[in-house]
């Protein structure tokens, strides 16, 4: 009988008091989806203890790699982003120390202050033992390929740690042009978790490639959730731009050499198989997007609920060899970040 898979979830969201306070100051809506209030969803988002551990057991997840919910600190002023990122990372490190066999963490990075961003990544990795960082595409109106982020990318490349990108809400002009005027409640959802998030971030990935980020930093590794944020499904078409952009490699090669892809709790076998065909199972990781896909079956919709053991059964029943399933569940993550486990100085 095959050994039970070890599953590490890489996109497992948290909000912390320091972040809630900073968001409130910045005028962020105080809604349960961002951790405000007393609803079960909001409490799950804030919990880094018994409730989360019980839900991980329910899902069948062995290790959760904790990171701040979108947009992290990237919607704050430069000064606030630096102080909140540092405090949040210290709090995440404390949560990991309390449950070192069940939790790891991705750092919050203060990209509104580019000169501090690389320094905080260095501190989080070398002092706190974090496995990488979570970023959120744009910083204000600055795209991810803006030149001021080159030091951050160079630092990630040197430290050999991945940068996991998560979507955030499209800019207001895009929301108004594409998602307004729809039936009540549909537009905002379509602009975010329905579709808009993924197009917004997919464009950021392409901008990074076409503007030469990966040519300048060929060792930079990026984790893409949501089965590649739409882009994987159009690589054969978008590749026509490679010549005009004067890319050093075919477009698809960037996704096979600089990207790792996870499903973010979208339990669709079609997307799973397509991702494996495009990038290979040796570039696939696992995530559940907790708590956004925990107990969420509106109208019985089957593809966005990882509770009740679905996170585990989805991978166990995947049309892959046991070796490939093991790699996706945890092996590829250890290959990518296992060297960080040797960090022993975890003082804040």
């Amino acid at each position: 009988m095959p050994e039970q898979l070890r599953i590490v979830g890489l996109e497992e969201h948290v909000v912390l008091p320091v972040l809630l306070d900073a968001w409130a100051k910045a005028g962020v809506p105080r809604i349960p989806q961002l951790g405000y209030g007393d609803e079960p969803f909001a409490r799950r988002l804030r919990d880094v203890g018994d409730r989360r551990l019980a839900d991980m057991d329910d899902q069948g997840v062995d290790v959760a790699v904790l990171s701040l919910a979108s947009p992290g600190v990237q919607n704050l002023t430069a000064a606030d982003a630096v102080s909140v990122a540092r405090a949040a990372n210290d709090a995440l490190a404390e949560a990991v120390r309390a449950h070192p066999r069940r939790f790891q963490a991705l750092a919050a990075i203060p990209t509104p202050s580019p000169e501090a961003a690389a320094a905080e990544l260095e501190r989080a990795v070398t002092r706190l033992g974090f496995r990488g960082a979570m970023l959120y595409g744009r910083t204000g109106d600055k795209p991810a390929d803006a030149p001021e982020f080159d030091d951050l990318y160079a630092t990630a490349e040197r430290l050999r740690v991945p940068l996991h990108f998560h979507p955030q809400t499209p800019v207001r002009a895009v929301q108004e042009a594409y998602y307004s005027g729809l039936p009540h409640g549909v537009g905002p959802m379509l602009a975010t978790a329905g579709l808009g998030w993924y197009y917004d971030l997919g464009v950021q990935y392409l901008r990074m490639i076409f503007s030469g980020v990966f040519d300048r930093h060929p060792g930079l590794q990026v984790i893409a959730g949501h089965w590649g944020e739409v882009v994987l499904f159009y690589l054969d078409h978008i590749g026509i731009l490679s010549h005009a952009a004067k890319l050093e490699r075919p477009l698809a090669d960037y996704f096979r050499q600089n990207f790792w892809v996870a499903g973010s709790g979208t339990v669709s076998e079609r997307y799973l198989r397509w991702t494996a065909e495009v990038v290979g199972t040796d570039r696939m990781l696992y995530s559940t997007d907790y708590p956004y896909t925990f107990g969420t079956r509106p109208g019985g919709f089957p593809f966005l609920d990882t509770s009740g053991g679905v996170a585990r059964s989805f991978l166990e029943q995947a049309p892959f060899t046991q070796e490939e399933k093991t790699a996706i569940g945890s092996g590829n993550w250890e290959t990518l970040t296992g060297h960080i486990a040797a960090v022993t100085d975890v003082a804040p």
Side-chain angles (χ1 to χ4, degrees):
M1 187 172 182
E3 183 178 348
Q4 179 169 292
L5 293 173
R6 181 173 181 263
I7 294 180
V8 178
L10 307 182
E11 191 182 323
E12 317 308 308
H13 301 292
V14 176
V15 294
L16 302 164
V18 65
L19 184 63
L20 291 172
D21 291 345
W23 278 351
K25 178 182 173 183
V28 169
R30 300 191 186 198
I31 57 176
Q33 290 78 9
L34 291 177
Y36 293 98
D38 231 7
E39 294 187 18
F41 182 92
R43 293 200 300 269
R44 281 192 164 95
L45 199 50
R46 297 193 301 263
D47 190 279
V48 289
D50 291 343
R51 177 190 287 268
R52 185 175 293 259
L53 292 170
D55 288 349
M56 289 165 59
D57 292 340
D58 176 86
Q59 293 173 300
V61 171
D62 298 296
V63 178
V65 184
L66 307 176
S67 60
L68 299 186
S70 182
V73 302
Q74 289 182 226
N75 63 336
L76 304 179
T77 65
D80 286 345
V82 173
S83 62
V84 174
R86 188 176 182 92
N89 289 335
D90 289 344
L92 288 173
E94 184 177 342
V96 172
R97 284 195 293 271
H99 301 282
R101 295 183 181 276
R102 303 302 303 273
F103 292 154
Q104 297 173 16
L106 294 173
I109 300 298
T111 56
S113 175
E115 64 275 11
E120 184 58 20
L121 176 63
E122 181 112 28
R123 185 183 82 93
V125 172
T126 63
R127 297 285 295 172
L128 304 180
F130 284 19
R131 298 289 184 108
M134 180 69 81
L135 301 175
Y136 305 89
R138 292 174 290 101
T139 298
D141 60 358
K142 293 178 182 176
D145 63 297
E148 52 262 54
F149 301 131
D150 250 25
D151 285 348
L152 174 62
Y153 298 147
T155 301
E157 182 181 33
R158 173 173 54 80
L159 295 173
R160 295 187 296 126
V161 293
L163 301 178
H164 193 322
F165 280 76
H166 187 280
Q168 61 167 293
T169 304
V171 297
R172 176 59 58 184
V174 172
Q175 294 182 57
E176 292 176 353
Y178 292 135
Y179 304 110
S180 62
L182 292 169
H184 178 70
V186 172
M189 283 296 295
L190 187 62
T192 54
L195 184 67
W197 272 351
Y198 320 122
Y199 276 106
D200 190 79
L201 185 53
V203 170
Q204 301 297 310
Y205 292 155
L206 292 173
R207 288 188 61 98
M208 291 175 72
I209 293 171
F210 291 140
S211 64
V213 170
F214 297 102
D215 294 334
R216 294 191 298 276
H217 308 289
L220 177 63
Q221 300 297 302
V222 166
I223 300 172
H226 305 100
W227 301 117
E229 311 294 0
V230 181
V231 177
L232 290 191
F233 299 96
Y234 284 90
L235 280 186
D236 292 347
H237 189 99
I238 303 169
I240 195 173
L241 299 176
S242 297
H243 178 72
K246 297 181 171 56
L247 295 182
E248 295 183 3
R249 295 174 267 160
L251 179 62
D253 283 7
Y254 292 89
F255 285 91
R256 295 177 182 132
Q257 297 170 18
N258 297 100
F259 282 77
W260 304 72
V261 181
S264 305
T266 305
V267 287
S268 165
E269 187 180 309
R270 285 180 294 180
Y271 294 172
L272 181 80
R273 287 187 279 106
W274 180 254
T275 302
E277 181 176 335
V278 174
V279 302
T281 56
D282 59 342
R283 303 292 296 189
M284 292 171 65
L285 302 167
Y286 209 73
S287 58
T288 79
D289 207 10
Y290 177 90
Y292 296 98
T293 64
F294 189 89
T296 51
R297 287 199 174 211
F301 190 75
F303 297 115
L304 292 175
D305 188 356
T306 61
S307 63
V310 171
R312 175 167 293 276
S313 63
F314 177 65
L315 182 57
E316 288 179 336
Q317 296 167 13
F320 303 138
T321 67
Q322 190 67 20
E323 182 179 8
E324 290 172 324
K325 295 174 188 178
T326 298
I328 295 169
S330 63
N332 292 339
W333 178 243
E334 291 306 320
T335 297
L336 181 60
T337 70
H339 62 287
I340 301 301
V343 173
T344 57
D345 183 0
V346 294

